[in-house]
């Protein structure tokens, strides 16, 4: 059996307390790695001195092999905080106005990809299958091919692929496009991403060039397909059930007991629409004043990418907005917006989802959005809450029974919160059942199996 080699920017190592990150994607990839006996390669999270040579650090944890790479501060600034998160992330999320391109960032990005390729090549066996994840590593296959690697290589993009006009704001974007042709398989979350990608090839008349380059590199032609990512549904269902049964959740939060809760859970990011959501919640309280003192928004937003100015700006904006809404509507013993700016444990999160009458998942742009799926999986089948979902995330294309909204339309969002609160039990159950049927059959293991099956056939 061929080994599986997973490559991503970060590697999901256990934290200092020994607990592994609980995300479903890591669970599924680790399960596949255990079965196929490969390894997971990526940045260790540590910074090395500029002078230290690039090296692989092997580690074995819970039956999984890892190959870790330390990066220098320069690499981190140019590749990770630079081209990946200050150029590709904003542009792929439709915000070219936030992109901060520099030539140094672009060449740092290619330098790290080249370094990853050199290190990886030294460990490869002839029949290893390589699965590269996300926008940090788009050029990796091209670098591997140039180094003579002939293995099957697949790529999955976890963020949206933008329309051609937007993509072409990335200086030298055609090189990125060509780089993808070195993969045997390129996977996207949705058919919309795939059609944007095809449009980019056609509009820029790269189709032929890409094919020629691809043939020159590998005598191969890459295939593109849609693989909507999901969660470990069964696991999440039972986590939520246990949390709701436990006394801890009931007793630990007397301040939110007895209220109708709308929950939002997002890494701090301008793509998640957190400020528009809080604004809409304020509009809801203004319009439906009978809900004042009865409803609250629980917004859990762990910090992320704190070194980037756009993230510091959105952090400030959200904090001010929370203060404004709480100042306008709060009373001595009631606070309408509970804003938690730090991570909450996964098991606790599952219980909070279940307690919430409404899941407010309203990103301005999102590849998929796993919170939407987690919220639904966590519900009590006999009394499920309602998912309010932005039209602009990948999940909206599958979860048609959610109440879909335009996150830019404050009044529509306010109205939809009220409609969700008064929705009849039969309607809630019907919507929930429709979404759960898909979530149960199309979970993250299905996503992983389908991608690997397709890669093996390509
Ligand atoms: C990228 C794409 C795509 C959040 N806060 C806490 C916490 N979380 C967990 C959630 C969920 C995950 O983080 C967030 O996943 P999303 O999918 O919502 O968003 P991104 O992080 O932006 O992920 C996205 C995804 O890749 C997969 O392809 O869906 O579109 O942007 O699992 O539960 N977990 C814990 N505490 C928190 O406070 N434990």
């Amino acid at each position: 059996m061929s080994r599986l080699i997973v490559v991503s920017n970060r590697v999901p190592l256990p934290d200092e307390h020994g607990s592994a990150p609980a995300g479903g994607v890591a669970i599924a990839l680790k399960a596949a790695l255990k079965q196929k006996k490969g390894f997971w390669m990526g940045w260790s999270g540590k910074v090395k001195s500029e002078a230290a040579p690039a090296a692989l650090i092997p580690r074995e944890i819970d039956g999984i092999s890892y190959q870790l790479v330390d990066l220098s501060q320069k690499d981190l600034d140019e590749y990770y905080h630079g081209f990946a998160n200050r150029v590709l992330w904003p542009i792929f999320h439709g915000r070219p106005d936030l992109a901060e391109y520099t030539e140094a960032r672009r060449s740092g990005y290619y330098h790290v990809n080249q370094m990853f390729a050199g290190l990886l090549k030294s460990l490869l066996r002839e029949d290893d299958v390589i699965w590269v994840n996300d926008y940090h590593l788009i050029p990796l296959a091209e670098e591997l091919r140039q180094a003579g690697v002939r293995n099957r290589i697949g790529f999955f993009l976890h963020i949206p692929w933008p329309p051609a006009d937007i993509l072409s704001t990335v200086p030298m974007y055609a090189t990125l496009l060509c780089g993808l042709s070195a993969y045997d398989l390129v996977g996207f979350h949705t058919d919309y991403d795939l059609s944007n990608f095809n449009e980019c090839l056609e509009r820029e008349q790269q189709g032929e060039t890409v094919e020629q380059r691809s043939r020159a590199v590998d005598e191969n032609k890459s295939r593109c397909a849609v693989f909507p990512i999901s969660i470990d549904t069964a696991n999440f269902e039972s986590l939520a059930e246990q949390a709701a049964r436990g006394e801890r959740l009931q007793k630990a939060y007397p301040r939110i007991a007895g209220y109708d809760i709308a929950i939002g859970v997002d890494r701090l990011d301008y793509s998640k629409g957190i400020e528009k959501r809080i604004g809409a919640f304020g509009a809801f309280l203004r319009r439906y004043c009978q809900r004042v003192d009865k409803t609250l928004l629980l917004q859990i937003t762990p910090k992320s990418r704190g070194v980037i100015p756009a993230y510091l700006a959105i952090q400030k904006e959200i904090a001010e907005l929370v203060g404004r809404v709480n100042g306008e509507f709060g009373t001595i013993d009631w606070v309408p917006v509970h804003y938690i700016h730090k991570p909450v444990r996964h098991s606790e999160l599952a219980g909070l989802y279940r307690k919430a009458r409404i899941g407010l998942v309203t990103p301005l742009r999102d590849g998929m959005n796993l919170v939407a799926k987690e919220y639904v999986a966590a519900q009590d089948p006999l009394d499920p809450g309602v998912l309010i979902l932005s039209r602009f995330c990948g999940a909206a294309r599958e979860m048609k029974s959610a109440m879909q909204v335009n996150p830019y339309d404050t009044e529509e969002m306010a109205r939809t919160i009220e409609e969700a609160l008064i929705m009849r039990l039969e309607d809630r159950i019907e919507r929930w059942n429709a979404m759960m049927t898909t979530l149960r059959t199309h979970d993250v293991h299905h996503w992983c199996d389908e991608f690997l099956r397709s890669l093996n056939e390509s």
Side-chain angles (χ1 to χ4, degrees), residues 89 158-159 189 229 265 267 272 300 302 342-346 349 353 366-371 374:
W89 178 276
H158 290 260
I159 64 174
H189 281 307
I229 203 167
V265 178
R267 266 183 322 96
K272 302 289 183 183
I300 298 169
K342 49 176 105 62
V344 167
R345 276 198 313 274
H346 224 68
L349 202 57
Y353 283 142
D366 215 334
M368 176 55 70
N369 195 298
L370 296 178
V371 170
E374 291 170 355

Side-chain angles (χ1 to χ4, degrees), residues 2 35 80 146 391 456:
S2 336
Q35 201 197 351
Y80 180 63
Q146 277 164 12
R391 280 186 225 148
N456 280 316

Side-chain angles (χ1 to χ4, degrees), residues 213-278:
R213 276 241 200 156
S214 155
R215 261 200 297 276
V217 178
D218 197 19
E219 296 184 340
N220 213 338
K221 190 179 160 197
S222 43
R223 253 174 8 92
C224 305
V226 170
F227 304 91
I229 203 167
S230 193
I231 57 166
D232 191 347
T233 311
N235 192 299
F236 215 85
E237 275 183 273
S238 77
L239 207 62
E241 209 177 301
Q242 280 166 28
R245 256 193 278 121
E247 274 189 27
R248 206 178 161 281
L249 195 75
Q250 313 294 338
K251 289 204 176 140
Y253 304 113
R255 278 168 207 272
I256 60 170
Y259 291 102
D260 289 331
I261 301 170
I263 192 169
V265 178
D266 320 73
R267 266 183 322 96
L268 181 80
D269 200 293
Y270 47 79
S271 65
K272 302 289 183 183
I274 303 165
E275 71 293 4
K276 299 225 179 299
R277 185 183 313 157
I278 294 168

